[in-house]
Amino acid sequence: MRSAELKQLALECGFDLAGIANAAPLAEATHYLDWVSRGLAGKMGYLADHRADKRRDPRSLLASARSVLVVGQLYNAPMPYSTCFDDATLGWISRYAWGDDYHEVMRARLKRLDTLLQGHTPCETKICVDTAPLLERPLAQAAGLGWIGKNTCLINQQQGSWFFLGEMLTSLDLDADVPPPDRCGTCTRCINACPTEAIVRTGHNSPEWELDARLCISYLNIELKGEIPASQRSGMGRHVFGCDICQDVCPWNRRAAVSTDAPWQPRQIAPPLAELAILTAAEFGSLFGGSPISRTKYQGFLRNVAIAMGNTADPVFRVPLERLAQSDDAVIAEHARWALGQLKSSVECA
Ligand code: SF4
Ligand code: SF4
């Protein structure tokens, strides 16, 4: 099978972007390994442990690999951006988490693609969706899907940056695509808009900017388990899961493509904080089962809700926070006590 045929098959299997990269060492691995060695991955041990070195070369996952098919799955829904949203009674959920968890959906689509490929041209393959030690964004860039913006997201000139990525390594020797030019230019909107100044200079030119994950809201409210340092809580705003600000402000997302694909249609966008605060563990499980939000687990989610209520400063949240402060869960209770300390007194607000 030739490159163009495989990419066409990928589109027929439901993907929105498809490109081919060589299965070869990636120049970006040098910066990646330096990034983790400086501790900028925070407590995300899976990025920094023995698997980090495997990311140098896709062939560490499939020795016979000659090519990598990279696919993009658009998940953008036709809903407002978080930066246009000012109802202080609601918590914000990151756009990628409005629908179903993407891992299984994309894996099933890649398996179907693999079956079609094997029926035509038997070869060795390996399917990867997020969890394998691959440098997904540099590979997607090499496969011509877009460039890596200063916000560290992959940006497609026509469709924007609201994509999940997946890969199929193959022993087929396919024609590789050409990476597009970097079209960020002199723009610094994402850097200026980041509320926690998490996009920082590298001190060199390639890349010029990097993410200090330890400062990023998405790291704090998803990846970081247990206590969030008190000094970082007020910067988190009302984001109860993830943060999209550096993508919301990106000019390439002004007219971003929208998906009509069933799995990504929104379940919850900005639920009322007062309703989230009274969820039981069982209700959390039934509301967010099969959604990326389940990754925080109940404790992490209620912790985030408490911080969000505190950051409104609105005394309307005193009663739910007092209830959370009595929680048997020490992490939830401590964050609720912190949040109570952020509320204005009713007299001040009158
Ligand atoms: S996701 Fe939010 S906190 Fe993280 S870099 Fe982007 S704007 Fe900053
Ligand atoms: S906001 Fe500007 S600098 Fe940031 S990723 Fe988008 S185009 Fe690049």
Side-chain angles (χ1 to χ4, degrees), residues 151-152 190 193-199 211-212 215-219 235 239 242-247:
N151 60 7
T152 73
C190 53
C194 175
T196 56
E197 300 183 3
I199 304 171
L211 185 71
D212 186 341
L215 304 177
C216 176
I217 294 168
S218 293
Y219 166 77
H239 293 85
C243 168
D244 289 332
I245 292 172
C246 56
Q247 295 189 82

Side-chain angles (χ1 to χ4, degrees), residues 15-324:
F15 297 111
D16 301 284
L17 299 174
I20 309 285
N22 290 320
L26 286 156
E28 290 85 350
T30 305
H31 176 252
Y32 175 79
L33 293 168
D34 179 53
W35 179 76
V36 292
S37 75
R38 286 181 286 125
L40 272 67
K43 295 188 176 170
M44 293 185 281
Y46 61 93
L47 295 180
D49 64 12
H50 63 282
R51 288 166 286 187
D53 213 47
K54 288 181 187 275
R55 293 177 198 256
R56 285 181 190 278
D57 187 336
R59 288 171 297 188
S60 64
L61 298 179
L62 180 70
S64 63
R66 303 290 300 275
S67 312
V68 184
L69 169 77
V70 187
V71 291
Q73 184 85 71
L74 183 71
Y75 60 81
N76 187 28
M79 299 291 170
Y81 286 164
S82 64
T83 42
C84 311
F85 162 86
D86 55 11
D87 185 336
T89 64
L90 308 179
W92 190 260
I93 291 172
S94 187
R95 188 162 290 260
Y96 87 89
W98 291 352
D100 293 346
D101 188 286
Y102 70 97
H103 295 84
E104 286 315 308
V105 176
M106 286 188 71
R107 187 170 290 281
R109 290 178 180 179
L110 281 166
K111 279 186 181 164
R112 180 167 163 247
L113 176 62
D114 192 24
T115 303
L116 295 171
L117 171 63
Q118 299 301 338
H120 185 285
T121 313
C123 58
E124 287 190 49
T125 55
K126 181 168 178 60
I127 288 170
C128 306
V129 183
D130 180 42
T131 50
L134 272 181
L135 290 182
E136 288 194 297
R137 281 169 285 177
L139 271 172
Q141 180 172 254
L145 267 51
W147 74 95
I148 299 172
K150 289 173 190 162
N151 60 7
T152 73
C153 297
L154 183 92
I155 305 174
N156 178 273
Q157 187 179 0
Q158 286 76 34
Q159 301 196 52
S161 68
W162 308 109
F163 285 98
F164 301 124
L165 296 175
E167 301 80 24
M168 188 166 69
L169 281 57
T170 167
S171 56
L172 295 181
D173 193 5
L174 301 166
D175 290 337
D177 285 285
V178 177
D182 181 327
R183 295 185 187 277
C184 281
T186 56
C187 175
T188 53
R189 282 170 183 261
C190 53
I191 296 159
N192 303 338
C194 175
T196 56
E197 300 183 3
I199 304 171
V200 296
R201 282 193 187 278
T202 59
H204 48 82
N205 287 334
S206 183
E208 196 181 350
W209 298 90
E210 64 187 354
L211 185 71
D212 186 341
R214 300 167 299 181
L215 304 177
C216 176
I217 294 168
S218 293
Y219 166 77
L220 295 170
N221 67 15
I222 301 175
E223 300 294 338
L224 191 61
K225 306 304 172 204
E227 186 190 343
I228 293 176
S231 61
Q232 293 188 268
R233 296 176 191 171
S234 57
M236 295 171 65
R238 282 177 289 112
H239 293 85
V240 294
F241 187 88
C243 168
D244 289 332
I245 292 172
C246 56
Q247 295 189 82
D248 289 346
V249 300
C250 180
W252 296 101
N253 279 336
R254 254 183 225 145
R255 284 178 289 278
V258 166
S259 175
T260 54
D261 206 2
W264 327 125
Q265 300 315 302
R267 303 183 189 184
Q268 300 272 346
I269 298 168
L273 290 167
E275 288 178 19
L276 297 177
I278 56 171
L279 287 177
T280 64
E283 287 165 343
F284 172 79
S286 59
L287 193 58
F288 296 120
S291 145
I293 295 168
S294 58
R295 185 168 169 80
T296 58
K297 304 208 167 48
Y298 179 69
Q299 179 195 77
F301 192 70
L302 268 286
R303 170 200 67 180
N304 297 343
V305 170
I307 292 174
M309 290 194 293
N311 284 338
T312 68
D314 190 336
V316 74
F317 293 121
R318 185 170 304 282
V319 171
L321 280 171
E322 282 173 349
R323 190 173 161 273
L324 288 179

